[in-house]
Amino acid sequence: MKILVGCKLVPEDQDIVVQNDGTLDMSKAAPKISQFDLNAIQTAVDIKKQNADATITALSVGGKKLENVKVRKDMLSRGLDELVVVTDEKYENLLPHQTSKILSEVAKEQGFDLIICGDGSGDLYAQQTGIKLGALLDVPTVNGISQIVSIDENKVVAKRALENEVETLEIPLPAVICVSADINEPSIPGMKAILAAGKKPVNVKEVVVEDSNLVDLVEIKAPKKKERAHIIVEGDSEDQIAEFVNNLRKII
């Protein structure tokens, strides 16, 4: 079984500086694996534990940060067999429709039984890349997966939590699934895994796709802060509860 995992680098949250005009300065932010993609990697590793013949290849698209040896080792130390990267300066701030197009070309070349993505990314969280990828590959695609029940060479049985119910889905392979953050707790690599990561292969691909120019990324700004109202309602009488509810309605 060949498993591909989508993996995106995002800026370290604590290193992002919010400017006075609301714009974000990420120039000093170190790159890290998106938290949601750590869940995707861990899902693939858990599947491999039950399927000894499975192989896991991570696919990542981005700019120069993907050339960082430390970041590559971090990816490979988490149970991957191989890393495939597509790097170019113009791929630094791709939007979902662009990323999914490049990933689809690489996935077709690599071949796959199952592609696992996070439900979204740690920066934009558009929740579109995995879905668009599945559409481009013309395979069954399901998002919001919260549990893998079983998997064999023909299908994966998974659960998806909806607002008022939990679905159990039988998804024929090949397929693309997007996993939610509560599907697992990503493992922290040990020293042995970190050392072994340096010997694992990293393949660099060149992919040129036509930009459909659906949208342009103009800017990313932090939300404006609102002044605190400092309204404190003390007590639990009917009048005080009514006052609390009225103030809450004004906010909503």
Side-chain angles (χ1 to χ4, degrees):
M1 176 178 292
K2 190 163 189 176
I3 304 172
L4 305 182
V5 181
C7 196
K8 182 180 183 180
L9 296 186
V10 298
E12 176 62 59
D13 308 45
Q14 63 186 12
D15 296 336
I16 300 174
V17 178
V18 180
Q19 308 281 23
N20 292 332
D21 62 353
T23 56
L24 305 179
D25 180 7
M26 305 182 193
S27 60
K28 296 182 180 179
K32 69 173 184 177
I33 306 169
S34 171
Q35 179 62 42
F36 303 98
D37 294 338
L38 291 178
N39 294 118
I41 293 173
Q42 187 62 51
T43 301
V45 171
D46 292 341
I47 291 174
K48 184 175 180 178
K49 289 177 182 177
Q50 305 300 322
N51 297 267
D53 64 333
T55 61
I56 307 171
T57 300
L59 309 182
S60 193
V61 180
K64 286 189 174 181
K65 291 178 181 177
L66 263 178
E67 299 174 3
N68 187 305
V69 175
K70 183 179 179 181
V71 172
R72 290 181 176 185
K73 282 187 177 181
D74 188 19
M75 292 185 193
L76 288 165
S77 68
R78 296 176 182 274
L80 305 178
D81 297 298
E82 179 186 19
L83 173 62
V84 175
V85 298
V86 180
T87 63
D88 195 301
E89 283 189 41
K90 62 185 178 184
Y91 294 161
E92 189 67 49
N93 294 300
L94 292 180
L95 291 171
H97 70 282
Q98 299 164 321
T99 302
S100 59
K101 180 62 177 175
I102 295 172
L103 288 177
S104 70
E105 294 300 321
V106 179
K108 289 174 185 176
E109 181 182 331
Q110 293 289 125
F112 64 93
D113 296 296
L114 178 65
I115 299 179
I116 306 175
C117 299
D119 256 343
S121 61
D123 47 7
L124 296 179
Y125 198 66
Q127 296 181 283
Q128 295 179 27
T129 301
I131 298 296
K132 288 178 176 291
L133 173 59
L136 289 168
L137 295 171
D138 195 24
V139 297
T141 305
V142 183
N143 65 346
I145 297 296
S146 56
Q147 182 185 347
I148 302 296
V149 178
S150 65
I151 186 170
D152 58 36
E153 60 183 10
N154 298 313
K155 66 181 183 300
V156 54
V157 178
K159 291 187 176 182
R160 175 167 67 170
L162 303 180
E163 187 173 350
N164 298 313
E165 61 185 3
V166 176
E167 292 181 330
T168 299
L169 306 170
E170 189 173 290
I171 309 164
L173 299 180
V176 175
I177 62 171
C178 305
V179 299
S180 62
D182 57 358
I183 192 169
N184 54 45
E185 185 68 34
S187 300
I188 298 174
M191 184 56 66
K192 183 177 180 180
I194 294 172
L195 293 174
K199 300 178 182 179
K200 293 182 179 180
V202 178
N203 294 320
V204 180
K205 301 285 185 180
E206 290 187 10
V207 179
V208 179
V209 297
E210 293 183 8
D211 188 358
S212 53
N213 290 320
L214 296 177
V215 291
D216 291 319
L217 179 62
V218 178
E219 62 181 358
I220 301 175
K221 283 191 173 183
K224 292 182 179 180
K225 292 183 179 179
K226 292 185 178 181
E227 294 294 327
R228 293 179 179 270
H230 296 292
I231 299 173
I232 301 173
V233 180
E234 297 182 353
D236 56 1
S237 69
E238 290 186 4
D239 289 341
Q240 289 163 329
I241 292 173
E243 182 185 354
F244 175 79
V245 172
N246 286 333
N247 281 298
L248 190 60
R249 284 173 176 164
K250 292 176 183 178
I251 297 173
I252 297 175

